Amino acid sequence: MTQPTPDKYTVHYHLRAPEGLLNDPNGLIFFNNQYHVFFQWNPEGTTHANKTWGHAISSDLVEWTYLKPALEPTDWFDKNGCYSGSAIEKDGKMFLFYTGNVRNDAGERESYQCLAISEDGEQFLKKGPLFTHPKNYTAHVRDPKVWKDEEEDCYWMILGAQTLGLKGTTILYRSADLLDWKFSGEFTEAYPDFGYMWECPDVLRMKNKEIFLFSPQGIETEGDFYKNVFQTGYLVGDFKNGKFVPTGETFKELDRGFEFYAPQSFEDNKGRTILFGWMGAMEPDVENAVPTRKEGWIHHLTLPREIKWENGQLLQQPVTELQKLRNSQKLTLPDLQTMNKVEFSSSEQEMVCTWKSAAASFDWVLRNEVSLKYNADSKRFTIERTNWLTAERETRSVQLTESLKSMQLFIEDSSLEVYLNNGAEVFSLRYFKKERTNLWTWKKDSWKENITDFSIFELKKVIEF
Ligand code: FRU
């Protein structure tokens, strides 16, 4: 069953750019019967420069068509990059809000919050900057996320910002018509000293709750937490009269893997809240060493994840449409009963496993590279990979509050997403291994006890370059 070693670290169902560098998902919207995903894109190279808005559309969140870039850095107010932002529909038109990044003649940063409007979702007319910022913030003001407040009958725009004391924060603007915006103050008083910059803020509206999602920079590692170059997490609370007040829990990381960063959510026509993240943010030297740069591309987005708020818990679940990726070929538990390894003929698989009451301990190695370990006594789950720059093994762990009862994996040639307990904890990561194999191995057979449902599907390649 061994296949010829592929010569590229391809991904075939995670959304990537045709070439160049991709970072944040932008402007997510369901508009005119299509899902639109825009993304930060340097089409000219694999460095963080020339940021345009790449554009892909889909009718099912599975198969994608690439359109021409929606925004390019061609004007005085965005000449050094059309930075991240969001989309909203009004009167049948798509409004894009984004940050124009400018280096002025003195080499200093300037940021402009800009608008572009489209009638058809393909051609965008830039309207330029909307307002100037209050003086008590540095020029690090960016990533407008706009939403409609039905109760107040207005629109809000939240922006990542930095105080003059160099602390991360978020500021809020209010508008009746998406054109005229008034500064309304800081979004929250919570976490006044939590890193030097907050990027890509988002406000997810759940049943009677708001989830404030943001990506703080400058947070120190604490045990199992905050181990990535930059973090992404959320606070749960109430948003009223232009202020967000957290209730209960502290900042919780959204994804416990390695590179996840700068996610954005949107509500689709079925009322689902769907989120894409970027895979992802890396230390510059680690990013430089990513082998796909030699192939002319780098990074991709996460799978679309449906966000649910259930029993006081945020759950992230791959959207059900992704089942369309499944080929008919499938392995079930009886196939594996007497084996301690399995080899596939391709690199793309999904695995679904549910245990009756609690999983037994396991120790798996995927593709001779990524190990997944669960200790049933301590309820600790650990993922381990090799750092492609230093060649050292590195881990991310989570202490589950309840025993492991379900696990879903999405694996590709150079990336993996792991969903535990219905998405209560999620890990995403990239990995790059020189010797390629599609072998999965496990140490003991005891993990097979108590399993109620088990399948491994080979997945279709829907994205080819
Ligand atoms: C997050 C970010 C945003 C910015 C964009 C630029 O990754 O730094 O704050 O708008 O990327 O590409």
Side-chain angles (χ1 to χ4, degrees):
M1 262 172 107
T2 318
Q3 66 156 20
T5 309
D7 57 354
K8 287 183 173 180
Y9 291 93
T10 38
V11 290
H12 287 298
Y13 59 88
H14 280 88
L15 193 54
R16 54 165 274 197
E19 61 206 345
L21 177 143
L22 165 152
N23 57 298
D24 315 352
N26 291 159
L28 307 177
I29 191 168
F30 185 82
F31 178 82
N32 283 353
N33 290 319
Q34 297 275 6
Y35 290 96
H36 291 250
V37 169
F38 303 86
F39 47 87
Q40 286 288 284
W41 184 29
N42 175 6
E44 288 164 31
T46 54
T47 56
H48 285 274
N50 316 309
K51 295 292 172 75
T52 67
W53 275 39
H55 190 184
I57 54 168
S58 171
S59 55
D60 61 3
L61 294 166
V62 177
E63 303 210 33
W64 296 93
T65 304
Y66 293 87
L67 303 182
K68 69 177 169 59
L71 301 171
E72 291 177 295
T74 48
D75 289 274
W76 70 266
F77 48 80
D78 59 18
K79 72 182 179 68
N80 298 96
C82 297
Y83 274 14
S84 286
S86 59
I88 193 164
E89 179 172 350
K90 181 173 178 283
D91 304 330
K93 295 183 186 147
M94 198 198 295
F95 286 61
L96 296 187
F97 296 90
Y98 70 101
T99 300
N101 182 47
V102 170
R103 287 270 158 200
N104 66 21
D105 294 342
E108 295 152 351
R109 177 188 294 266
E110 293 174 7
S111 300
Y112 298 95
Q113 311 315 324
C114 306
L115 170 65
I117 300 181
S118 174
E119 310 251 344
D120 61 0
E122 243 184 285
Q123 312 287 336
F124 292 85
L125 191 63
K126 286 187 189 171
K127 299 284 181 182
L130 292 164
F131 46 75
T132 55
H133 304 129
K135 296 276 170 278
N136 32 348
Y137 300 94
T138 70
H140 286 279
V141 181
R142 57 178 167 269
D143 310 337
K145 177 77 201 272
V146 172
W147 74 97
K148 182 159 193 198
D149 188 329
E150 300 288 350
E151 266 172 45
E152 300 251 338
D153 194 24
C154 73
Y155 297 94
W156 297 103
M157 176 193 291
I158 188 171
L159 286 155
Q162 184 181 55
T163 66
L164 293 180
L166 307 186
K167 303 287 178 206
T169 189
T170 40
I171 56 175
L172 199 63
Y173 285 77
R174 182 184 173 126
S175 171
D177 58 5
L178 294 177
L179 302 172
D180 186 27
W181 292 90
K182 295 256 161 352
F183 181 64
S184 134
E186 295 206 356
F187 176 70
T188 184
E189 311 294 321
Y191 285 72
D193 187 7
F194 195 56
Y196 60 81
M197 175 66 194
W198 293 1
E199 295 190 315
C200 300
D202 196 355
V203 181
L204 286 64
R205 282 141 304 131
M206 301 282 131
K207 288 167 240 150
N208 305 320
K209 279 274 155 271
E210 273 80 34
I211 291 170
F212 169 39
L213 181 65
F214 60 107
S215 294
Q217 300 183 314
I219 312 295
E220 306 244 316
T221 304
E222 273 178 48
D224 287 341
F225 301 99
Y226 318 144
K227 291 184 81 168
N228 295 340
V229 55
F230 301 134
Q231 324 306 323
T232 292
Y234 62 93
L235 295 169
V236 180
D238 297 313
F239 176 69
K240 267 194 213 90
N241 304 322
K243 281 284 170 216
F244 174 81
V245 181
T247 45
E249 297 236 342
T250 49
F251 180 82
K252 184 161 190 280
E253 280 167 277
L254 194 63
D255 185 297
R256 302 298 298 274
F258 290 82
E259 283 90 24
F260 182 90
Y261 194 63
Q264 187 178 98
S265 73
F266 71 109
E267 227 177 89
D268 79 349
N269 60 327
K270 303 186 180 86
R272 299 181 294 181
T273 300
I274 298 173
L275 175 137
F276 284 83
W278 170 38
M279 290 171 69
M282 300 172 183
E283 297 281 2
D285 52 348
V286 175
E287 188 174 55
N288 271 335
V290 169
T292 65
R293 295 189 65 198
K294 292 198 199 82
E295 299 163 16
W297 71 281
I298 185 167
H299 306 312
H300 60 71
L301 299 183
T302 63
L303 294 171
R305 303 173 177 179
E306 183 173 357
I307 306 293
K308 294 182 183 163
W309 179 253
E310 277 176 16
N311 306 321
Q313 220 180 10
L314 187 149
L315 302 178
Q316 302 177 71
Q317 297 166 350
V319 296
T320 50
E321 287 92 328
L322 292 166
Q323 292 175 10
K324 287 192 196 170
L325 286 169
R326 294 174 180 174
N327 270 330
S328 51
Q329 250 168 320
K330 175 174 142 170
L331 278 182
T332 57
L333 199 58
D335 302 319
L336 300 186
Q337 212 51 273
T338 57
M339 300 159 79
N340 61 2
K341 62 178 181 192
V342 57
E343 189 168 11
F344 298 96
S345 57
S346 72
S347 309
E348 297 79 28
Q349 286 86 27
E350 177 192 350
M351 190 211 77
V352 193
C353 186
T354 19
W355 288 267
K356 194 162 166 214
S357 49
S361 297
F362 58 78
D363 187 347
W364 292 18
V365 181
L366 304 183
R367 312 192 66 218
N368 222 356
E369 160 61 19
V370 179
S371 87
L372 307 179
K373 292 191 182 122
Y374 177 63
N375 182 318
D377 297 327
S378 62
K379 302 193 189 102
R380 206 170 155 74
F381 179 89
T382 299
I383 196 154
E384 193 179 296
R385 73 167 182 199
T386 306
N387 181 301
W388 52 90
L389 174 69
T390 63
E392 277 163 21
R393 295 293 281 174
E394 50 191 8
T395 60
R396 295 290 181 269
S397 295
V398 75
Q399 183 61 53
L400 296 178
T401 47
E402 287 173 24
S403 293
L404 184 65
K405 287 196 196 109
S406 75
M407 177 158 83
Q408 188 173 11
L409 306 179
F410 282 90
I411 189 158
E412 297 228 39
D413 189 58
S414 60
S415 75
L416 173 65
E417 294 193 44
V418 179
Y419 296 79
L420 304 181
N421 285 347
N422 270 326
E425 296 291 354
V426 180
F427 292 72
S428 56
L429 61 136
R430 303 299 304 280
Y431 63 94
F432 300 98
K433 172 136 180 89
K434 280 209 188 75
E435 305 83 41
R436 320 289 263 288
T437 160
N438 293 318
L439 193 67
W440 298 19
T441 55
W442 46 89
K443 286 223 170 93
K444 287 193 218 123
D445 277 339
S446 48
W447 65 270
K448 296 173 187 167
E449 288 162 19
N450 281 336
I451 288 184
T452 48
D453 184 23
F454 181 89
S455 311
I456 302 178
F457 301 90
E458 303 239 21
L459 299 184
K460 291 185 187 116
K461 299 177 199 283
V462 285
I463 296 175
E464 297 268 15
F465 286 105

